[in-house]
Amino acid sequence: MSKLEAVLFDLDGVIVDTAKHHYRAWKELANELGFDFTEEDNERLKGVSRVESLNILLEIGQVEKTEKEKEELAARKNQRYVEAISTMDESEILPGVIDFLQELKNENVPFALGSASKNAPAILKHIKLFDAFDAIVDGNSIAKAKPDPEVFLQGADKLGANYENCVVFEDAQSGIEAGKAAGMYVVGVGSADVLKGADDYITHMTEMNVERIRRK
Ligand code: G6P
Ligand code: MG
């Protein structure tokens, strides 16, 4: 990529490992409803909004609920999740993230958060990265969830960057599809066997640097 204008980061699984907290909270809910929920099942919820995640969970358990009951269940899950993340601190930032953000700052490449989570601002505050981002787009400001590109398009717009000169970092299949639908260069954080369609893959942010992107 000859002209790198901006970088867009997913939060959960890219900046910080909150997937384990989401998983635990959903699993507890599933168990209360009388069925099990595996880590493989959880893969389907990554990058997916809270409401849509609940729908998938109920489908896995073959349980039917009214809209009102669903609201209560989603609130119950979120309460547990909020409790779990309340004790997070900067030690939970994933390896290589701080160095890469610092390199982007040194190179004057702006970066934004593009997350489906309504808890994103709280998490960023817990890990003391809230002020590091030039823009934040999260589950509170988007109407259409990933794989819709809205979250990344909004992020690029806020940074005044051309979509084709933006790089997205994503650990979820729905997020990779959202980044590609936005016309961006997408780096999958995880294995190419699980994540399909990214332009590049890393297992940790430690493998990433500006030079690697510019060479593409
Ligand atoms: C991220 C996570 C999903 C989660 C979604 C909504 O995309 O990867 O697992 O369901 O955010 O999070 P929230 O904090 O709003 O429930
Ligand atoms: Mg994610």
Side-chain angles (χ1 to χ4, degrees), residues 126-198:
H126 287 312
I127 60 172
K128 304 207 166 43
L129 278 183
F130 187 78
D131 296 322
F133 286 83
D134 299 293
I136 292 173
V137 183
D138 60 38
N140 302 294
S141 47
I142 52 167
K144 287 171 270 172
K146 300 169 187 176
D148 190 280
E150 184 185 13
V151 65
F152 295 129
L153 298 177
Q154 266 197 36
D157 289 347
K158 283 192 174 194
L159 300 177
N162 292 299
Y163 304 148
E164 69 270 25
N165 295 327
C166 290
V167 175
V168 168
F169 284 88
E170 258 295 349
D171 73 315
Q173 188 59 42
S174 60
I176 287 174
E177 286 162 24
K180 290 315 295 172
M184 298 174 180
Y185 181 86
V186 179
V187 180
V189 182
S191 147
D193 298 335
V194 180
L195 302 173
K196 306 286 177 203

Coordinates of all heavy atoms in Angstrom, one line a residue, residues 126-198:
H126 N -10.8 1.7 31.1 CA -10.1 0.8 32.0 C -8.7 0.5 31.6 O -7.8 0.4 32.5 CB -10.9 -0.6 32.0 CG -12.2 -0.5 32.8 ND1 -12.3 0.0 34.0 CD2 -13.4 -1.0 32.4 CE1 -13.6 -0.1 34.4 NE2 -14.3 -0.7 33.4
I127 N -8.4 0.4 30.3 CA -7.0 0.0 29.9 C -6.2 1.3 29.6 O -5.1 1.2 29.0 CB -7.0 -1.0 28.7 CG1 -7.7 -0.4 27.5 CG2 -7.7 -2.3 29.2 CD1 -7.6 -1.3 26.2
K128 N -6.8 2.4 29.8 CA -6.1 3.7 29.7 C -5.7 4.0 28.2 O -4.6 4.5 28.0 CB -4.9 3.8 30.6 CG -5.3 3.6 32.1 CD -4.4 4.3 33.1 CE -5.0 4.4 34.5 NZ -5.6 3.2 35.0
L129 N -6.6 3.6 27.3 CA -6.3 3.9 25.9 C -7.3 4.9 25.3 O -7.3 5.1 24.1 CB -6.2 2.6 25.1 CG -4.8 1.9 25.1 CD1 -4.9 0.7 24.2 CD2 -3.7 2.8 24.7
F130 N -8.3 5.3 26.1 CA -9.4 6.1 25.6 C -8.9 7.3 24.8 O -9.4 7.7 23.7 CB -10.3 6.5 26.7 CG -11.6 7.2 26.2 CD1 -12.6 6.5 25.7 CD2 -11.7 8.6 26.3 CE1 -13.8 7.1 25.2 CE2 -12.9 9.2 25.8 CZ -13.9 8.4 25.3
D131 N -7.9 8.0 25.3 CA -7.4 9.2 24.7 C -6.4 9.0 23.6 O -6.0 9.9 22.9 CB -6.7 10.1 25.8 CG -7.8 10.6 26.8 OD1 -8.9 10.9 26.4 OD2 -7.4 10.6 28.0
A132 N -5.9 7.7 23.4 CA -4.9 7.4 22.4 C -5.5 7.5 21.0 O -4.8 7.8 20.0 CB -4.3 6.1 22.7
F133 N -6.8 7.1 20.9 CA -7.4 7.0 19.6 C -7.9 8.4 19.0 O -8.4 9.2 19.8 CB -8.6 6.1 19.6 CG -8.2 4.7 19.7 CD1 -7.9 4.1 20.9 CD2 -8.1 3.9 18.5 CE1 -7.5 2.8 21.0 CE2 -7.7 2.6 18.6 CZ -7.4 2.0 19.8
D134 N -7.7 8.6 17.7 CA -8.1 9.9 17.1 C -9.6 9.9 16.9 O -10.2 11.0 16.8 CB -7.4 10.0 15.8 CG -5.9 10.1 15.9 OD1 -5.4 11.0 16.5 OD2 -5.2 9.1 15.6
A135 N -10.2 8.8 16.9 CA -11.7 8.7 16.8 C -12.2 7.4 17.3 O -11.4 6.4 17.3 CB -12.1 8.9 15.3
I136 N -13.4 7.4 17.8 CA -14.0 6.1 18.3 C -15.4 5.9 17.7 O -16.2 6.8 17.8 CB -14.1 6.2 19.9 CG1 -12.7 6.1 20.5 CG2 -14.9 5.0 20.4 CD1 -12.6 6.3 22.0
V137 N -15.5 4.8 17.0 CA -16.8 4.4 16.5 C -17.2 3.1 17.2 O -16.4 2.1 17.2 CB -16.9 4.2 15.0 CG1 -18.3 3.9 14.5 CG2 -16.3 5.5 14.3
D138 N -18.3 3.0 17.9 CA -18.6 1.8 18.6 C -20.1 1.4 18.4 O -20.8 2.1 17.7 CB -18.3 2.0 20.1 CG -19.0 3.1 20.8 OD1 -20.2 3.3 20.4 OD2 -18.5 3.8 21.6
G139 N -20.5 0.4 19.2 CA -21.9 -0.1 19.1 C -23.0 1.0 19.4 O -24.2 0.8 19.0
N140 N -22.6 2.1 20.0 CA -23.6 3.1 20.3 C -23.8 4.0 19.1 O -24.9 4.7 19.1 CB -23.1 4.0 21.5 CG -22.8 3.2 22.7 OD1 -23.7 2.6 23.3 ND2 -21.6 3.0 23.1
S141 N -22.9 4.1 18.2 CA -23.0 5.0 17.1 C -23.4 4.4 15.7 O -23.5 5.1 14.8 CB -21.8 5.9 17.0 OG -20.6 5.1 17.0
I142 N -23.5 3.1 15.7 CA -23.8 2.5 14.4 C -25.2 1.9 14.3 O -25.7 1.5 15.4 CB -22.7 1.4 14.0 CG1 -22.6 0.4 15.1 CG2 -21.4 2.0 13.6 CD1 -21.8 -0.9 14.7
A143 N -25.8 1.9 13.2 CA -27.1 1.4 13.0 C -27.0 -0.1 12.5 O -27.9 -0.9 12.8 CB -27.9 2.2 12.0
K144 N -26.0 -0.3 11.7 CA -25.9 -1.7 11.1 C -24.6 -2.4 11.5 O -23.5 -1.8 11.5 CB -25.9 -1.5 9.5 CG -27.2 -1.2 9.0 CD -27.2 -0.8 7.5 CE -27.0 0.7 7.4 NZ -26.7 1.1 6.0
A145 N -24.8 -3.6 12.1 CA -23.7 -4.3 12.6 C -22.8 -5.0 11.5 O -23.2 -5.1 10.4 CB -24.2 -5.4 13.5
K146 N -21.6 -5.3 11.9 CA -20.7 -6.0 11.0 C -21.4 -7.3 10.6 O -22.1 -7.9 11.5 CB -19.4 -6.4 11.7 CG -18.5 -5.2 12.1 CD -17.4 -5.6 13.0 CE -16.7 -4.4 13.6 NZ -15.6 -4.7 14.6
P147 N -21.4 -7.8 9.4 CA -20.5 -7.5 8.3 C -20.8 -6.3 7.5 O -20.2 -6.1 6.5 CB -20.6 -8.8 7.5 CG -21.9 -9.3 7.7 CD -22.2 -9.0 9.1
D148 N -21.8 -5.5 7.9 CA -22.0 -4.2 7.2 C -20.8 -3.3 7.5 O -20.2 -3.3 8.5 CB -23.3 -3.5 7.8 CG -23.7 -2.3 7.0 OD1 -23.1 -1.3 7.1 OD2 -24.6 -2.5 6.1
P149 N -20.3 -2.6 6.4 CA -19.1 -1.8 6.6 C -19.3 -0.5 7.3 O -18.3 0.2 7.6 CB -18.7 -1.5 5.1 CG -20.0 -1.6 4.4 CD -20.8 -2.6 5.0
E150 N -20.5 -0.2 7.8 CA -20.7 1.1 8.4 C -19.7 1.6 9.4 O -19.2 2.7 9.4 CB -22.1 1.1 9.0 CG -22.5 2.5 9.6 CD -23.9 2.5 10.3 OE1 -24.4 1.4 10.7 OE2 -24.3 3.6 10.6
V151 N -19.4 0.6 10.3 CA -18.5 1.0 11.5 C -17.1 1.5 10.9 O -16.6 2.5 11.5 CB -18.3 -0.2 12.4 CG1 -17.7 -1.4 11.8 CG2 -17.6 0.2 13.7
F152 N -16.6 0.9 9.9 CA -15.3 1.3 9.4 C -15.4 2.5 8.5 O -14.5 3.3 8.4 CB -14.6 0.1 8.6 CG -14.3 -1.1 9.6 CD1 -14.7 -2.4 9.3 CD2 -13.6 -0.8 10.8 CE1 -14.4 -3.4 10.2 CE2 -13.4 -1.9 11.7 CZ -13.8 -3.2 11.4
L153 N -16.5 2.6 7.7 CA -16.7 3.8 6.9 C -16.8 5.0 7.8 O -16.2 6.1 7.5 CB -18.0 3.6 6.0 CG -18.0 2.5 5.0 CD1 -19.3 2.4 4.3 CD2 -16.8 2.6 4.0
Q154 N -17.5 4.9 8.9 CA -17.6 6.1 9.8 C -16.3 6.4 10.4 O -15.9 7.6 10.5 CB -18.6 5.7 11.0 CG -20.0 6.1 10.8 CD -20.8 6.1 12.1 OE1 -20.2 6.4 13.2 NE2 -22.0 5.7 12.1
G155 N -15.5 5.4 10.7 CA -14.2 5.7 11.3 C -13.3 6.4 10.3 O -12.6 7.4 10.6
A156 N -13.3 5.9 9.0 CA -12.4 6.6 8.0 C -12.9 8.0 7.8 O -12.1 8.9 7.6 CB -12.5 5.7 6.7
D157 N -14.2 8.2 7.7 CA -14.8 9.5 7.5 C -14.3 10.5 8.6 O -14.0 11.6 8.4 CB -16.3 9.5 7.5 CG -16.9 8.8 6.2 OD1 -16.0 8.7 5.3 OD2 -18.1 8.5 6.2
K158 N -14.4 10.0 9.9 CA -14.0 10.8 11.0 C -12.5 11.2 10.9 O -12.1 12.3 11.4 CB -14.2 10.1 12.3 CG -15.6 10.0 12.8 CD -15.8 9.5 14.2 CE -17.2 9.7 14.7 NZ -17.3 9.5 16.1
L159 N -11.7 10.4 10.3 CA -10.3 10.7 10.1 C -10.0 11.4 8.8 O -8.8 11.7 8.5 CB -9.5 9.4 10.2 CG -9.6 8.6 11.6 CD1 -8.8 7.3 11.5 CD2 -9.2 9.4 12.8
G160 N -11.0 11.5 8.0 CA -10.8 12.2 6.7 C -10.0 11.4 5.7 O -9.2 11.9 4.9
A161 N -10.0 10.0 5.8 CA -9.2 9.2 5.0 C -10.0 8.5 3.9 O -11.2 8.3 4.0 CB -8.6 8.1 5.9
N162 N -9.3 8.3 2.7 CA -9.9 7.5 1.6 C -10.0 6.1 2.0 O -9.0 5.5 2.5 CB -9.1 7.7 0.4 CG -9.1 9.1 -0.2 OD1 -10.2 9.6 -0.5 ND2 -8.0 9.8 -0.2
Y163 N -11.1 5.5 1.7 CA -11.3 4.1 2.2 C -10.2 3.1 1.7 O -9.8 2.3 2.4 CB -12.7 3.6 1.7 CG -13.8 4.4 2.2 CD1 -15.0 4.6 1.5 CD2 -13.8 5.1 3.4 CE1 -16.1 5.3 1.9 CE2 -14.8 5.9 3.9 CZ -16.0 6.0 3.1 OH -17.0 6.8 3.6
E164 N -9.8 3.3 0.4 CA -8.8 2.3 -0.2 C -7.4 2.5 0.4 O -6.6 1.6 0.2 CB -8.8 2.4 -1.7 CG -8.2 3.7 -2.3 CD -9.2 4.8 -2.5 OE1 -10.3 4.8 -1.8 OE2 -9.0 5.7 -3.3
N165 N -7.2 3.6 1.2 CA -5.9 3.8 1.9 C -6.0 3.5 3.4 O -5.2 4.0 4.1 CB -5.4 5.2 1.6 CG -5.1 5.4 0.1 OD1 -4.7 4.5 -0.6 ND2 -5.3 6.6 -0.4
C166 N -7.1 2.8 3.8 CA -7.2 2.4 5.2 C -6.9 0.9 5.4 O -7.2 0.1 4.6 CB -8.7 2.7 5.6 SG -9.1 4.4 5.7
V167 N -6.4 0.7 6.6 CA -6.1 -0.7 7.0 C -7.0 -1.0 8.2 O -7.1 -0.2 9.1 CB -4.6 -0.9 7.4 CG1 -4.4 -2.3 7.9 CG2 -3.7 -0.7 6.2
V168 N -7.6 -2.2 8.1 CA -8.5 -2.7 9.2 C -7.8 -3.9 9.9 O -7.3 -4.8 9.2 CB -9.8 -3.1 8.7 CG1 -10.6 -3.9 9.7 CG2 -10.6 -2.0 8.1
F169 N -7.8 -3.9 11.2 CA -7.4 -5.1 12.0 C -8.6 -5.7 12.6 O -9.3 -5.1 13.4 CB -6.4 -4.7 13.1 CG -5.0 -4.4 12.5 CD1 -4.7 -3.1 12.1 CD2 -4.0 -5.3 12.4 CE1 -3.5 -2.8 11.5 CE2 -2.8 -5.1 11.8 CZ -2.5 -3.8 11.4
E170 N -8.7 -7.0 12.4 CA -9.9 -7.7 12.8 C -9.7 -9.2 13.2 O -8.9 -9.8 12.5 CB -11.0 -7.8 11.6 CG -12.1 -6.8 11.8 CD -13.0 -7.0 12.9 OE1 -12.9 -8.1 13.6 OE2 -13.8 -6.2 13.2
D171 N -10.3 -9.7 14.2 CA -10.2 -11.1 14.6 C -11.4 -11.9 14.4 O -11.5 -13.0 14.8 CB -9.8 -11.2 16.1 CG -11.0 -10.8 17.0 OD1 -11.7 -9.8 16.7 OD2 -11.3 -11.6 18.0
A172 N -12.5 -11.2 13.8 CA -13.7 -11.9 13.6 C -14.1 -12.0 12.1 O -13.8 -11.1 11.3 CB -14.9 -11.2 14.3
Q173 N -14.7 -13.1 11.7 CA -15.1 -13.3 10.3 C -16.0 -12.1 9.8 O -15.8 -11.6 8.8 CB -15.8 -14.6 10.1 CG -16.0 -15.0 8.7 CD -14.8 -15.1 7.8 OE1 -13.7 -15.6 8.3 NE2 -14.8 -14.5 6.6
S174 N -17.0 -11.8 10.7 CA -17.9 -10.7 10.3 C -17.2 -9.4 10.1 O -17.5 -8.6 9.3 CB -19.0 -10.5 11.4 OG -18.4 -10.2 12.6
G175 N -16.1 -9.2 10.9 CA -15.3 -7.9 10.8 C -14.5 -7.9 9.6 O -14.3 -6.8 9.0
I176 N -13.9 -9.1 9.2 CA -13.1 -9.1 8.0 C -14.0 -8.8 6.8 O -13.6 -8.0 5.9 CB -12.4 -10.5 7.8 CG1 -11.3 -10.6 8.9 CG2 -11.9 -10.8 6.4 CD1 -10.6 -11.9 9.0
E177 N -15.2 -9.4 6.8 CA -16.2 -9.1 5.7 C -16.5 -7.6 5.7 O -16.7 -7.0 4.6 CB -17.4 -10.0 5.8 CG -17.1 -11.4 5.5 CD -18.1 -12.5 6.0 OE1 -19.2 -12.1 6.2 OE2 -17.7 -13.6 6.1
A178 N -16.7 -7.0 6.9 CA -17.1 -5.6 6.9 C -15.9 -4.7 6.4 O -16.2 -3.8 5.6 CB -17.3 -5.2 8.4
G179 N -14.7 -5.1 6.7 CA -13.5 -4.3 6.2 C -13.4 -4.4 4.7 O -13.2 -3.4 4.0
K180 N -13.6 -5.6 4.2 CA -13.5 -5.8 2.7 C -14.7 -5.1 2.0 O -14.5 -4.5 0.9 CB -13.5 -7.3 2.3 CG -12.3 -8.1 2.7 CD -11.0 -7.4 2.4 CE -10.7 -7.2 0.9 NZ -9.5 -6.4 0.6
A181 N -15.9 -5.1 2.6 CA -17.0 -4.4 2.0 C -16.8 -2.9 2.0 O -17.4 -2.2 1.2 CB -18.3 -4.8 2.8
A182 N -16.0 -2.5 2.9 CA -15.7 -1.0 3.0 C -14.6 -0.6 2.0 O -14.3 0.5 1.8 CB -15.2 -0.6 4.4
G183 N -14.1 -1.7 1.3 CA -13.0 -1.4 0.3 C -11.7 -1.2 0.9 O -10.8 -0.6 0.3
M184 N -11.4 -1.7 2.1 CA -10.2 -1.5 2.8 C -9.3 -2.7 2.7 O -9.7 -3.8 2.4 CB -10.5 -1.1 4.2 CG -11.3 0.2 4.3 SD -11.8 0.6 6.0 CE -12.7 2.1 5.7
Y185 N -8.0 -2.5 3.1 CA -7.0 -3.6 3.3 C -7.2 -4.2 4.6 O -7.2 -3.5 5.6 CB -5.6 -3.0 3.1 CG -4.5 -4.0 3.2 CD1 -4.1 -4.7 2.0 CD2 -3.9 -4.3 4.3 CE1 -3.1 -5.6 2.1 CE2 -2.8 -5.2 4.4 CZ -2.5 -5.9 3.3 OH -1.5 -6.8 3.3
V186 N -7.4 -5.5 4.7 CA -7.8 -6.1 6.0 C -6.7 -7.1 6.5 O -6.3 -8.0 5.8 CB -9.1 -6.8 5.9 CG1 -9.5 -7.5 7.2 CG2 -10.2 -5.9 5.5
V187 N -6.3 -6.9 7.7 CA -5.4 -7.8 8.3 C -6.1 -8.6 9.4 O -6.8 -8.1 10.3 CB -4.2 -7.0 9.1 CG1 -3.3 -8.0 9.7 CG2 -3.5 -6.1 8.1
G188 N -6.1 -9.9 9.2 CA -6.8 -10.8 10.1 C -5.9 -11.1 11.3 O -4.7 -11.5 11.1
V189 N -6.4 -11.0 12.5 CA -5.6 -11.3 13.7 C -6.1 -12.7 14.1 O -7.2 -12.9 14.7 CB -5.8 -10.3 14.8 CG1 -5.0 -10.7 16.0 CG2 -5.5 -8.9 14.3
G190 N -5.3 -13.7 13.7 CA -5.8 -15.1 14.0 C -5.3 -16.0 12.8 O -4.5 -15.6 12.0
S191 N -5.8 -17.2 12.8 CA -5.4 -18.2 11.8 C -6.2 -18.1 10.5 O -7.4 -17.9 10.5 CB -5.5 -19.6 12.4 OG -5.9 -20.5 11.4
A192 N -5.5 -18.2 9.4 CA -6.2 -18.2 8.1 C -7.1 -19.3 7.9 O -8.0 -19.3 7.0 CB -5.1 -18.2 6.9
D193 N -7.0 -20.4 8.7 CA -7.9 -21.5 8.6 C -9.3 -21.2 9.1 O -10.3 -21.7 8.7 CB -7.4 -22.7 9.4 CG -6.0 -23.2 8.9 OD1 -5.8 -23.0 7.7 OD2 -5.3 -23.8 9.7
V194 N -9.3 -20.3 10.1 CA -10.5 -19.9 10.8 C -11.1 -18.6 10.1 O -12.3 -18.5 9.9 CB -10.3 -19.6 12.3 CG1 -11.6 -19.2 13.0 CG2 -9.7 -20.8 13.0
L195 N -10.2 -17.7 9.8 CA -10.7 -16.4 9.2 C -10.4 -16.4 7.7 O -9.3 -16.6 7.3 CB -9.9 -15.2 9.9 CG -10.0 -15.1 11.4 CD1 -9.0 -14.1 11.9 CD2 -11.4 -14.8 11.8
K196 N -11.5 -16.2 7.0 CA -11.4 -16.2 5.5 C -11.4 -14.8 4.9 O -12.2 -14.0 5.4 CB -12.5 -17.1 4.9 CG -12.7 -18.4 5.5 CD -11.6 -19.4 5.0 CE -11.7 -20.8 5.7 NZ -10.4 -21.5 5.8
G197 N -10.6 -14.7 3.9 CA -10.8 -13.5 3.0 C -10.0 -12.2 3.4 O -10.2 -11.2 2.8
A198 N -9.1 -12.3 4.4 CA -8.3 -11.2 4.8 C -7.1 -11.0 3.8 O -6.8 -12.0 3.0 CB -7.7 -11.3 6.2

